Every structure is written in structure tokens, then in C-alpha cells.
Amino acid sequence: MLIVDHGPWNKPKMQPASMASYGSTGEAARAAGAKVLPTEPKLQVEPEPPMPKPVHSVNPAPQ
């Protein structure tokens, strides 16, 4: 049996919201020098992807 103790250096350090430097991910990204851009809007009705139509079975199901 192998027991591994990763020690305290592997545990995440959590901060309460009152100690956080930035209120949102966007603010933290801007502070790091990243550009925060909105995503492109999607079309209201997206076209169907090009794919072959389903093939009907040779023997239809009995009724």
C-alpha cells in the first residue's frame, strides 16, 4: 500500500469575496492586459448542416 502526502503546498488558497482584487473575470482580464470582446451574435435561424439525407429502410415496418 502506498500513501502519498502532498502537503499543504498543493491545497488551493481560497479568498473570501471581500478580499478579492477584482469583482468580475472581465475586470481581472483587463488588468492583466487582455482585450475583452463580445462574442459574435448567432443567426436567429441557423441553416441545416450539409449532410446526406437518411435512407429509408427496404422493408417498411408492418402496420
Side-chain angles (χ1 to χ4, degrees), residues 19-33:
M19 292 181 64
S21 301
Y22 305 103
S24 69
T25 306
E27 289 178 20
R30 284 184 204 92

Side-chain angles (χ1 to χ4, degrees), residues 26-45:
E27 289 178 20
R30 284 184 204 92
K35 292 182 182 178
V36 180
L37 304 172
T39 57
E40 294 180 12
K42 290 186 176 182
L43 298 174
Q44 291 291 338
V45 179

